[in-house]
DNA sequence: CTCCACCCTTGATCAGGATCAAGGTTTGTT
DNA sequence: AACAAACCTTGATCCTGATCAAGGGTGGAG
């Protein structure tokens, strides 16, 4: 593991179908063929339910385009987002019969689906796949733990700043690293309500805190969703995180 | 995966060293020998630090006895627990150089340690190991997501009830299932402060809510740490969780 | 073009949990 | 036995974020 090249990169599904082959140079041909045969694509409209908690899980999938959420709802309607699914993220747990969480499309979403049974067979027969899935699961676990710190201990303002920073980081991964001094621009893919579900707040508090960050010049707004970050460090200072955050692997 | 027998059961390390052999009937002898050679045991006293965030990780380990915590601390001292480690739980991320979280012994703790490099080699060479680790990581991810719902949306009282229920469930796993109607007894392995770190509360609020549950007859206390649950359903009703919780795999 | 649905903002008030403070209990040490 | 240190409980007060309420965009459907 570590920096060793993954042989089958499930994340590459984001650029299906070509990428599988590109990364699978070291795969056995029959494994590749299996993967290709299993694949199918599905599309969802904004707000559409992809899976309801309790549904039978026929598929596992990889997000190709768009944004989806994983969430849990209590009987009285309180809901908490427990996963934000961006392109290349994986949906579904191999070995699980019934979905445990609601999966909802936030924007237009395309999934690359694999039928569950044969995919489980692939995991069992192809060590590289389970190794890759393990790495992805551990990354998600780290993200979940950072999220737990946010939910349990951060103030509303810190939560909002953290969310903007997280989205900036994930969309910034594409851009060149030297673009650090020019102002960053980020489109929030979420409504105020969805952000509230993410952060364990109400939508009113989200709105107020965004207004507050704007008033204090930490961010600028262009429309409701387009955020301009004039000084990334100023934003990061609002998150409550270690200033040298992210160095520890 | 699913209900398929794991070949190497890392969890079995809790009953080291015999259990490895019992479960490893299908292992290649040299793999078994590798596991045995790598093992060493370490002990820690209550309150002792096992790892500090930022430390070099020389080892991965499995908890054999005792209770430890994974936690994150912000610069100003706010801390959030992000993992509760009971016997059979795994410590350390293969492939990671520096620890990302503080690991602290809560009670007397014994770890079964494996040197990191050779263990990573074992993962790469033994598919059953990465498959088992994947399953364990996915279990932890589910636990983390339930925890996120707790942190983000539950009231203080619900949080306390949930914590007691979680501890009851984990210690009850051992007992016979027909013991459901007799009163359950649980020893809280945590101080009020540690519980507060778990739940995203202050220790005063933890104390008050425990008193509240006691006043309302949901629990009885015998000393500070020994909890008697006269009616498990009454406790579960306080958690805010779905009444039929736990059915969904 | 108009209307409606959805999304967002802001204000006023409320309440749950944090904070500050004091004292009690248990455990282990000399 | 006396004491100290840790741990726990309870009270008083404060403050952050929830709740209740009203109104302002904005974009798509007819």
């Amino acid at each position: 593991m570590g920096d060793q090249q993954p042989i089958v990169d499930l994340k590459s599904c984001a650029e299906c179908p070509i990428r599988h082959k590109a990364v699978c140079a070291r795969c056995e041909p029959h494994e590749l063929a299996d993967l290709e045969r299993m694949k199918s694509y599905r599309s969802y409209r904004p707000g559409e339910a992809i899976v309801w908690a309790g549904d039978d899980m026929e598929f596992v999938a990889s997000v190709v385009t768009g944004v989806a959420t994983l969430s849990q709802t209590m009987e009285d309607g309180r809901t908490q987002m427990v996963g934000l699914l961006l392109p290349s993220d994986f949906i579904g747990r191999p070995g699980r019969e019934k979905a445990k969480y609601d999966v909802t499309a936030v924007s237009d979403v395309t999934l690359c689906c694999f039928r569950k049974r044969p995919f489980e067979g692939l995991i069992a027969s192809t060590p590289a796949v389970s190794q890759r899935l393990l790495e992805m699961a551990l990354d998600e676990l780290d993200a979940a733990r950072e999220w737990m710190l946010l939910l349990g201990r951060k103030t509303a303002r810190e939560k909002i700043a953290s969310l903007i920073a997280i989205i900036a980081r994930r969309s910034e991964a594409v851009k060149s690293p030297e673009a650090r001094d020019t102002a960053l621009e980020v489109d929030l893919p979420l409504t105020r309500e969805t952000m509230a579900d993410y952060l364990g707040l109400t939508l009113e508090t989200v709105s107020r805190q965004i207004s507050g960050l704007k008033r204090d010049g930490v961010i600028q707004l262009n429309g409701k969703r387009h955020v301009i970050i004039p000084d990334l460090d100023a934003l990061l200072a609002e998150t409550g995180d270690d200033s040298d955050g992210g160095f520890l692997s």
Side-chain angles (χ1 to χ4, degrees), chain A:
Chain A
M1 308 188 61
D3 36 23
Q4 175 193 338
Q5 275 280 79
I7 301 179
V8 176
D9 194 343
L10 288 164
K11 285 210 169 184
S12 69
C13 195
E15 288 105 5
C16 276
I18 301 130
R19 214 34 206 301
H20 268 312
K21 286 172 184 158
V23 196
C24 286
R26 286 186 280 164
C27 278
E28 295 297 323
H30 67 86
E31 287 166 0
L32 243 187
D34 285 351
L35 259 186
E36 289 301 322
R37 198 175 327 114
M38 276 188 252
K39 260 170 29 183
S40 67
Y41 292 89
R42 298 180 165 212
S43 295
Y44 300 86
R45 320 241 89 234
E48 192 177 351
I50 298 175
V51 186
W52 291 110
D55 283 0
D56 283 331
M57 288 287 294
E58 278 293 307
F59 294 87
V60 296
S62 182
V63 178
V64 181
T65 60
V67 180
T69 63
L70 263 192
S71 60
Q72 262 177 313
T73 300
M74 298 168 69
E75 287 134 325
D76 61 3
R78 284 176 280 175
T79 89
Q80 174 63 52
M81 198 192 300
V82 296
L84 185 59
L85 302 167
L86 302 186
S88 88
D89 282 334
F90 192 79
I91 296 176
R93 170 167 176 171
R96 169 165 288 156
E97 292 300 325
K98 306 254 187 195
K100 194 165 177 179
Y101 309 102
D102 296 323
V103 185
T104 312
V106 166
S107 60
D108 282 299
V109 168
T110 311
L111 300 184
C112 173
C113 299
F114 302 90
R115 295 201 25 244
K116 196 167 62 96
R117 293 286 170 202
F119 191 82
E120 285 168 19
L122 187 73
I123 293 171
S125 66
T126 315
V129 173
S130 65
Q131 282 167 27
R132 184 74 194 102
L133 285 173
L134 173 60
E135 238 174 83
M136 289 168 71
L138 291 172
D139 284 342
E140 276 192 76
L141 199 49
D142 278 335
R145 283 171 171 160
E146 209 138 312
W147 202 334
M148 283 166 56
L149 176 64
L150 178 149
L151 289 172
R153 294 302 186 193
K154 290 190 178 178
T155 65
R157 172 182 260 244
E158 288 170 338
K159 286 178 175 182
I160 293 287
S162 299
L163 175 58
I164 296 173
I166 288 169
I167 294 175
R169 198 176 319 143
R170 285 201 66 161
S171 55
E172 232 33 40
V174 196
K175 291 197 189 173
S176 51
E178 86 272 358
R180 243 228 163 185
D181 8 88
T182 78
L184 298 179
E185 308 209 358
V186 183
D187 272 305
L188 301 177
L190 308 173
T191 67
R192 300 292 185 258
E193 186 178 18
T194 317
M195 288 189 246
D197 286 343
Y198 187 113
L199 300 170
L201 297 171
T202 59
L203 69 92
E204 294 95 329
T205 300
V206 170
S207 182
R208 270 187 256 272
Q209 295 300 329
I210 289 179
S211 300
L213 287 174
K214 180 182 164 193
R215 190 181 322 114
D216 300 344
V218 180
I219 59 172
Q220 291 157 28
L221 285 183
N222 204 336
K224 311 292 183 184
R225 303 284 193 88
H226 190 78
V227 176
I228 300 164
I229 305 165
D231 178 1
L232 181 57
D233 291 330
L235 178 65
L236 293 178
E238 297 285 346
T239 63
D241 292 329
D242 277 349
S243 26
D244 60 339
F247 265 130
L248 313 178
S249 177

